[in-house]
């Protein structure tokens, strides 16, 4: 593996912050990342001055206000989220569910928009919270449309988790299940991500051959029936097709 350049090292520093680890001291960062003290402090100074990090009275660092500013700008510029918002609101009004727009990037799935209007229905995945990459309906909807080469590598890297989710014990078994998902047009799963919850998801494209996001609905499993899952699945497929067409139009217009 080639040595990381300075930009990659800065990005790796930001990447250590997670929901279960919100604050890091310089000593902890040096141990985690292997950076020398002068290098680490240079990066910390630059990121703090730019607002990406904030120092705490404890001596540690957390993410800074610049991240909030960039989130504000993303909300105003993310056309997919803007197109999806009315559909999310209607779904949340029509069904006892949480409706989510989930972006796929790199090796992560991230909720970028969500709506829930049902009293007593806790939405555990608000904007900004990542989802597992090998479990749940969103993951299945994405994997079902990967190229074979990329899919095989993804399955091999996550075979234990995929087997635990009931997708199969071998690469070919998982691929067979995902082919059925692709033919159906949507994926569903029960309790893969959150206990007692069912997820239903369909992929969204932007004119390319690989999905960039999914439209997903989650609801308590006890409130579902096979007929309801199919009805919601078909409606989600229609919404995803509409959003995909709009994104493809944007892509063509940008290239004109």
């Amino acid at each position: 593996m080639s040595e990381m350049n300075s930009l990659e090292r800065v990005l790796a520093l930001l990447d250590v912050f997670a929901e279960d680890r919100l604050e890091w001291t310089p000593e902890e960062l040096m141990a985690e990342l292997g950076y020398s003290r002068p290098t680490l402090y240079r990066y910390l100074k630059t990121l703090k001055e730019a607002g990406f990090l904030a120092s705490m009275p404890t001596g540690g660092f957390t993410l800074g206000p610049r991240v909030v500013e960039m989130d504000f700008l993303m909300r105003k510029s993310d056309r997919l989220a803007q197109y999806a918002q009315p559909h999310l609101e209607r779904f949340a009004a029509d069904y006892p569910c949480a409706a989510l727009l989930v972006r796929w990037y790199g090796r992560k799935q991230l909720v970028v928009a969500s709506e829930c209007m049902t009293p007593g229905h806790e939405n555990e995945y608000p904007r900004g919270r990542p989802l597992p990459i090998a479990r749940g309906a969103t993951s299945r909807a994405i994997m079902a449309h990967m190229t074979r080469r990329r899919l095989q590598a993804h399955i091999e890297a996550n075979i234990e988790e995929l087997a635990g989710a009931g997708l199969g014990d071998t690469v070919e078994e998982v691929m067979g299940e995902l082919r059925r998902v692709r033919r159906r047009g949507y994926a569903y799963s029960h309790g893969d991500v959150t206990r007692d919850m069912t997820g239903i998801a369909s992929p969204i494209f932007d004119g390319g051959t690989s999905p960039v996001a999914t439209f997903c609905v989650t609801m308590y499993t006890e409130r579902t029936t096979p007929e309801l899952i199919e009805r919601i699945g078909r409606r989600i497929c229609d919404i995803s097709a509409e959003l995909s067409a709009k994104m493809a139009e944007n892509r063509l217009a940008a290239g004109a």
Side-chain angles (χ1 to χ4, degrees), residues 90-104:
R90 282 196 292 271
F91 239 109
D94 291 346
Y95 293 97
C97 71
L100 315 174
L101 178 67
V102 182
R103 281 276 196 178
W104 173 281

Side-chain angles (χ1 to χ4, degrees), residues 130-244:
L131 286 162
I133 63 168
R135 287 187 286 118
T138 57
S139 176
R140 297 182 189 198
I142 292 288
M143 288 190 295
H145 291 82
M146 285 182 177
T147 63
R148 182 179 177 88
R149 182 177 180 180
R150 185 181 180 191
L151 177 59
Q152 181 168 340
H154 184 75
I155 293 173
E156 290 173 349
N158 299 279
I159 188 62
E160 290 186 7
E161 195 167 4
L162 293 168
L167 283 174
D169 296 321
T170 67
V171 171
E172 287 304 320
E173 287 178 357
V174 175
M175 285 187 171
E177 180 60 32
L178 293 174
R179 282 194 291 270
R180 287 187 282 274
V181 170
R182 184 165 182 158
R183 288 194 296 268
R184 189 190 308 125
Y186 64 91
Y188 63 88
S189 66
H190 305 293
D192 273 6
V193 177
T194 304
R195 184 178 177 181
D196 299 327
M197 298 295 289
T198 290
I200 312 166
S202 183
I204 300 169
F205 301 81
D206 67 351
T209 58
S210 297
V212 295
T214 58
F215 192 99
C216 177
V217 166
T218 65
M219 59 197 314
Y220 287 109
T221 301
E222 64 182 13
R223 293 177 174 174
T224 66
T225 63
E227 294 76 19
L228 179 60
I229 290 174
E230 182 176 1
R231 185 163 67 250
I232 290 176
R234 292 303 166 199
R235 182 171 169 183
I236 288 176
C237 284
D238 291 341
I239 291 171
S240 294
E242 178 184 328
L243 296 175
S244 296

Side-chain angles (χ1 to χ4, degrees), residues 21-41:
R21 192 65 189 273
L22 300 172
E23 183 177 342
W24 291 77
T25 66
E27 290 72 21
E28 290 168 338
L29 288 169
M30 283 187 287
E32 176 73 16
L33 298 168
Y35 299 169
S36 67
R37 185 176 296 273
T39 295
L40 176 67
Y41 274 86

